[in-house]
Amino acid sequence: MKARVELGAFLTASVIGISLPVDAQTTRQFAAPTAAEQQEADLRVIAARCGTPAFEKGFFKDSRAAVAAGLVNKHRMPADVEKSVEALRRSPFVLVASNADCPNQLAQLKELQKTRQAAIHSGRGRRP
């Protein structure tokens, strides 16, 4: 009787010991956000702070298209990058100190939009 209990305990321990490494191998590890994702989040905030509502809406749409095309981070799934960008949004007052900085910021955002639209339409940013 005692041998059966010891055998049962041994088998249970071996099954648990075998299953732990398998579980550890299949867990998905999430990558830390990159500087490009933080920058993308900051650009969206700047567009909201300095631009008109129409400009903000257009920039947000173009930004999402750039994320989907893989222009922000090619090594992660676009859905994960989009979630990360949304989570990384900072206060607009930290990014743009005064309204006097807005014209320069808007000029940079418009130039970035033109560059991205050209890259998206040419297909250079698309995933293989």
Side-chain angles (χ1 to χ4, degrees):
M1 179 80 169
K2 188 175 181 182
R4 270 192 192 164
V5 173
E6 290 177 359
L7 181 62
F10 176 75
L11 289 175
T12 303
S14 64
V15 168
I16 290 173
I18 291 170
S19 66
L20 285 177
V22 172
D23 289 341
Q25 291 175 2
T26 60
T27 58
R28 183 176 177 187
Q29 294 182 6
F30 294 101
T34 64
E37 293 168 14
Q38 180 65 60
Q39 182 182 10
E40 190 65 28
D42 292 347
L43 292 174
R44 289 182 184 180
V45 170
I46 292 169
R49 168 101 159 90
C50 293
T52 63
F55 178 78
E56 176 191 1
K57 185 176 179 180
F59 187 84
F60 183 76
K61 179 182 169 189
D62 291 343
S63 175
R64 287 184 62 115
V67 168
L71 294 176
V72 175
N73 189 340
K74 293 181 181 183
H75 305 294
R76 289 181 57 200
M77 294 297 293
D80 293 339
V81 174
E82 186 62 38
K83 286 179 186 176
S84 177
V85 168
E86 286 295 321
L88 292 171
R89 291 181 69 120
R90 294 193 270 181
S91 170
F93 299 108
V94 172
L95 300 172
V96 181
S98 69
N99 287 340
D101 297 335
C102 283
N104 293 336
Q105 297 285 346
L106 285 175
Q108 290 176 350
L109 291 178
K110 288 177 183 177
E111 185 63 34
L112 180 65
Q113 269 186 310
K114 289 178 187 175
T115 305
R116 283 185 175 174
Q117 287 176 351
I120 290 171
H121 292 302
S122 70
R124 286 187 289 160
R126 300 202 185 264
R127 292 179 159 217

